[in-house]
Amino acid sequence: SHPPHSPPRKRWLTPHASRSLPARNTHAPSPRRARVLLAVRVACPGGGGQEQGPNRFWIFFHACATFRASHTGIMGAAAVDESGDWASQSQLWKTNDQMADKEGERSTVFWVGGKQYKGEWSRNKMNGKGTLTYSNGDKYEGEWVDNKRHGFGTYWVCEGGKFRVSYNGTWVAGRKQGFGVFYNAKGERYEGEWKDSARHGKGRQTFGGRVDGRGADVYEGDWAADKRCGEGTMQYANGDVFQGCWDADDKHGEGTYYYEEKAARYDGVWERGTARCGEYQAVDPGAVPRVQLPCLELLGPDEVMARARKLALRHT
């Protein structure tokens, strides 16, 4: 009890109260931390009045929190170095992750989302040769640099539980670049140069028909930004042939259209696919230019990779 005319004394947290705090780490404190805590205890002896109580509480709480954070692995906690300066404590998970860095060829690694990779690693990233299976079933088999498709590789699309080759050729930083062969779901095929995953440069494309190009329209020539642009020859399934200038997938500029059935040719100027002016003349059926159709071959993954590498080196 207190005298009737004196205010009740407040109880302040003392250093001895730390004994009641639940221990979060059984390891003994480091000598540096022990010195910090001892200095606080010396500076804040037990007892004292109301004026020095709050200051004692703040100093002790700050030192105690620093001591506890440094021994429980709390990320972002502050630490006191030997000179007394504050420094950021290293995050424990980063240390553990560095210890688990993957180097060389490893067994299959699985991701939570369903992806899985088997192949070579460097600096904890996919580097070298390996196969990545995506969560939707698609698969890439080839070369990697820093987790990106880079070099020679084949991308397979999974359709109804079966794999279909979608692209086989060179990659740069995860995009189609250089020389490669592409097949769409209809079996149409493009063989030629790529830039930023778009047809760009010299290439040959089939439209419709069979996978080997029979019964298809076939274009061979220049491409820009995934469209026919520049000089090119289109051989139609009915035997007709157009040879001339293209722009954004349209006949545009000077060109010659050969009619196989009529044994005639039309030399003129086109504007956005429409002939504007020109003249007809008879031709020898043997003079009509032809586009070479691709050979019908079923190749395994190793054969496809070998052929793409050979073609890519030829175009470098």
Side-chain angles (χ1 to χ4, degrees):
S1 63
H2 301 278
H5 299 292
S6 63
R9 296 186 60 180
K10 297 181 180 179
R11 295 177 60 86
W12 300 99
L13 180 64
T14 65
H16 302 287
S18 62
R19 298 175 182 172
S20 61
L21 296 175
R24 297 183 63 182
N25 196 314
T26 58
H27 296 286
S30 64
R32 184 176 62 190
R33 295 299 170 188
R35 288 197 298 271
V36 173
L37 188 58
L38 179 60
V40 173
R41 288 178 175 172
V42 172
C44 305
Q50 299 176 9
E51 295 180 357
Q52 67 183 91
N55 294 331
R56 289 201 347 267
F57 172 75
W58 184 88
I59 295 174
F60 174 75
F61 177 78
H62 198 63
C64 230
T66 302
F67 173 79
R68 289 173 60 80
S70 65
H71 285 75
T72 55
I74 299 177
M75 294 184 292
V80 180
D81 58 17
E82 294 292 345
S83 62
D85 298 329
W86 295 97
S88 175
Q89 181 187 8
S90 62
Q91 298 178 351
L92 190 59
W93 70 268
K94 289 185 177 180
T95 302
N96 294 335
D97 190 61
Q98 291 174 358
M99 294 176 62
D101 276 356
K102 295 175 281 292
E103 288 287 340
E105 188 168 358
R106 300 289 294 269
S107 57
T108 304
V109 176
F110 298 85
W111 278 264
V112 176
K115 295 192 302 183
Q116 59 185 58
Y117 172 80
K118 180 176 176 58
E120 299 174 348
W121 297 80
S122 178
R123 304 184 310 277
N124 208 28
K125 294 182 178 180
M126 294 179 286
N127 278 283
K129 294 183 178 180
T131 301
L132 177 67
T133 303
Y134 297 88
S135 57
N136 63 353
D138 293 354
K139 179 172 64 174
Y140 170 79
E141 184 177 10
E143 297 175 330
W144 298 84
V145 172
D146 291 342
N147 288 339
K148 294 184 178 180
R149 299 184 290 265
H150 192 97
F152 294 93
T154 303
Y155 192 95
W156 306 78
V157 175
C158 183
E159 297 176 339
K162 297 181 180 180
F163 287 104
R164 172 182 62 81
V165 175
S166 174
Y167 175 80
N168 167 247
T170 54
W171 304 75
V172 174
R175 302 182 69 82
K176 304 179 187 74
Q177 184 104 353
F179 188 87
V181 181
F182 172 80
Y183 299 88
N184 63 18
K186 296 184 293 184
E188 297 174 343
R189 162 181 170 147
Y190 171 81
E191 179 179 348
E193 298 173 345
W194 296 79
K195 181 179 180 181
D196 291 333
S197 289
R199 294 166 291 186
H200 193 93
K202 299 289 186 179
R204 180 175 57 192
Q205 171 77 57
T206 64
F207 300 91
R210 303 189 320 189
V211 177
D212 63 352
R214 304 294 176 182
D217 298 339
V218 183
Y219 171 84
E220 184 171 10
D222 297 331
W223 296 79
D226 218 33
K227 296 182 182 295
R228 289 166 286 180
C229 188
E231 295 286 336
T233 300
M234 172 71 85
Q235 177 176 310
Y236 296 93
N238 64 358
D240 293 351
V241 176
F242 173 80
Q243 190 174 45
C245 297
W246 297 77
D247 184 64
D249 280 339
D250 289 327
K251 304 179 188 70
H252 191 78
E254 295 182 354
T256 300
Y257 194 102
Y258 296 88
Y259 298 88
E260 182 180 50
E261 186 176 352
K262 299 178 181 179
R265 60 181 286 177
Y266 175 82
D267 299 297
V269 176
W270 276 257
E271 181 180 0
R272 295 302 168 199
T274 303
R276 293 301 183 186
C277 60
E279 61 179 3
Y280 286 95
Q281 58 180 312
V283 296
D284 183 358
V288 178
R290 297 295 179 187
V291 176
Q292 183 180 0
L293 297 178
C295 297
L296 178 61
E297 294 181 290
L298 297 177
L299 303 178
D302 295 337
E303 295 174 278
V304 173
M305 290 287 289
R307 172 164 293 192
R309 186 183 296 272
K310 182 178 179 180
L311 291 173
L313 293 175
R314 185 189 304 169
H315 285 75
T316 55

